[in-house]
Amino acid sequence: TETLDFALPQLGDPGDVLINEVLFNPRTAGRDFVEIYNASAKNIGLKNWMLQNADLTTRVISEDPLVIFPGQHLVLTDGVNTTIQEYPMSGAYRENFHEMESLPSYNNGDGSVILADSLENPIDRFDYLEDYHFPLLNTFDGVSLERLSYTRPTNEEGNWSSASERVGFATPGYVNSQFLPEGRASAQFELQDEVFSPDNDGFEDVLLINYALDGPDYLATIRIYDSTGRLIRGLTNNLLLGTGGTLSWDGTTDDRALIHI
């Protein structure tokens, strides 16, 4: 059974729809994208809304009726299939993609992403810098900038960060890897279960390490030692984390041998 959402479109005001994620330096085979988010309780009609850049080059998002629902992420790109191929986790959210004929040109070093309504009234604007990326990354190609908070101003310093390596460096169509829910204050790691048994019986075969952090740009270097203090597995090395997620260990050593249990 297929379901279809529909609603009478409403007008949007500044602050209702936010620029939420931007890829302005794709890999060679990739395409730029801009993700917007409906932070309001309105069903907002996007017909004849526009994307602009710093030079005010303008591209119409859709000449046909298009609605963004409350709490919905919507990816605007001129290469939906290419973007999903680049970031396969987004394939489950294809309904949150909209294909445009073209996007304004967004420079790699710095630029502006402007969202405007059908009368060219600005709804949101993000003035980005490549320097907003996490500085220890080997390359910024294919790495999106993600918004951390919906309530902080779009151009507030520190409200953007590189998407986590754990999700493939971008999250088009779904919740940002670096999104920081309001009120989260403490950093912590915890084991989902204190005991696991990697014997391939389908029960507790993998150790899950859950984490919730107080901000972006944490790096995780995790080493696993046996009871005698001998290093048996380097699980991660300077892995760029999101603000929350799960790491896993399958019980094997660096030589991919199974530990003795």
Side-chain angles (χ1 to χ4, degrees), residues 197-206:
S197 55
D199 54 8
N200 203 35
D201 66 350
F203 178 69
E204 295 182 342
D205 287 332
V206 177

Side-chain angles (χ1 to χ4, degrees), residues 1-8 43 65-67 69 72 94-96:
T1 302
E2 184 176 350
T3 60
L4 179 66
D5 294 326
F6 63 93
L8 291 175
N43 301 300
L66 176 66
V67 174
F69 297 96
Q72 182 184 359
R94 180 178 282 270
E95 69 275 10
N96 291 336

Side-chain angles (χ1 to χ4, degrees), residues 95-110:
E95 69 275 10
N96 291 336
F97 282 73
H98 173 71
E99 182 103 21
M100 295 175 55
E101 289 187 7
S102 64
L103 268 66
S105 176
Y106 295 119
N107 297 329
N108 287 357
D110 61 82

Side-chain angles (χ1 to χ4, degrees), residues 46-93:
L46 301 179
K47 181 179 179 179
N48 292 327
W49 279 38
M50 311 165 194
L51 282 181
Q52 299 175 324
N53 62 15
D55 299 326
L56 297 185
T57 300
T58 299
R59 297 289 185 270
V60 173
I61 293 173
S62 177
E63 295 180 352
D64 299 316
L66 176 66
V67 174
I68 183 170
F69 297 96
Q72 182 184 359
H73 301 80
L74 185 65
V75 181
L76 309 174
T77 180
D78 57 6
V80 170
N81 290 334
T82 298
T83 300
I84 290 175
Q85 289 171 2
E86 289 285 300
Y87 307 102
M89 292 176 64
S90 66
Y93 305 90

Side-chain angles (χ1 to χ4, degrees), residues 107-152:
N107 297 329
N108 287 357
D110 61 82
S112 298
V113 180
I114 303 167
L115 178 67
D117 67 13
S118 59
L119 299 177
E120 295 196 54
N121 298 312
I123 299 297
D124 199 18
R125 175 175 179 143
F126 174 38
D127 301 314
Y128 64 84
L129 296 172
E130 190 176 59
D131 289 346
Y132 289 170
H133 276 299
F134 186 63
L136 297 185
L137 291 176
N138 292 327
T139 179
F140 303 140
D141 292 350
V143 183
S144 73
L145 282 177
E146 293 182 331
R147 187 185 188 118
L148 275 63
S149 170
Y150 303 139
T151 59
R152 293 163 60 184

